[in-house]
Amino acid sequence: MLNKTNTDAVEQPDWAALRRDYQVTGLLHLDASMCALAVRAAGMLAYLATPVTDYCDGPVLGADVAEGWQRTVIGLARVLCYSPAVNAQIMAEFAGVEASTCRPKISTELRLMELVVVPPMAGWDTSGEVWRVVRAALDMNVPVYVLAQQAGAA
């Protein structure tokens, strides 16, 4: 279980245990379709949880793929998306630093969000970054929608 005092702790993702522990609460929606997301969350503000520093092709490409998913979720589900990966990359390019230095604490960001959306981009299920966001959201009673592989192409 995630140490509540340190949301940056490294932990191996265990999606089966998460399903067992949270799906009955109505907070965790695994394999959600874009249609289901649109019905339940259109007009809401979502945190787009994507792998960045641990993305298989590097953080810059990870931010680019996240931006594609941000446009897809906004376009198809009509859910407003805040993407820390995209924002950190923009700030990093402007400041000439690493994107990882431009990211605020997860708990600070999540307080402003109504839900979390996890798109099916490569490595989402093994990403420590995605796992920390999902665990923190569930601990804060913020609904999490993990989109199905066929939910839409970024």
Side-chain angles (χ1 to χ4, degrees):
M1 188 155 234
L2 184 65
N3 178 351
K4 294 187 192 259
T5 59
N6 184 4
T7 55
D8 292 329
V10 177
E11 184 179 1
Q12 286 290 77
D14 185 354
W15 294 96
L18 204 64
R19 178 187 300 264
R20 181 189 67 236
D21 296 343
Y22 282 96
Q23 196 153 14
V24 71
T25 66
L27 291 173
L28 181 62
H29 307 274
L30 297 173
D31 295 322
S33 68
M34 196 65 76
C35 210
L37 180 63
V39 167
R40 293 184 181 133
M44 296 175 84
L45 182 59
Y47 182 112
L48 192 67
T50 59
V52 182
T53 57
D54 55 1
Y55 185 65
C56 58
D57 292 324
V60 174
L61 188 55
D64 290 345
V65 175
E67 183 178 19
W69 274 106
Q70 184 179 24
R71 286 192 307 270
T72 299
V73 171
I74 290 171
L76 295 178
R78 301 292 187 236
V79 173
L80 303 172
C81 285
Y82 165 71
S83 175
V86 174
N87 293 355
Q89 190 61 39
I90 291 169
M91 289 187 292
E93 288 173 3
F94 180 74
V97 297
E98 290 289 318
S100 60
T101 63
C102 298
R103 296 195 58 184
K105 289 188 176 240
I106 293 169
S107 59
T108 304
E109 296 170 318
L110 281 176
R111 277 186 280 169
L112 305 172
M113 303 299 139
E114 297 173 277
L115 66 143
V116 170
V117 175
V118 180
M121 60 188 275
W124 74 267
D125 56 341
T126 58
S127 170
E129 293 170 318
V130 171
W131 180 253
R132 285 187 297 274
V133 170
V134 168
R135 289 303 311 248
L138 292 171
D139 287 344
M140 295 171 69
N141 293 319
V142 174
V144 175
Y145 292 82
V146 179
L147 296 178
Q149 193 63 35
Q150 68 277 15

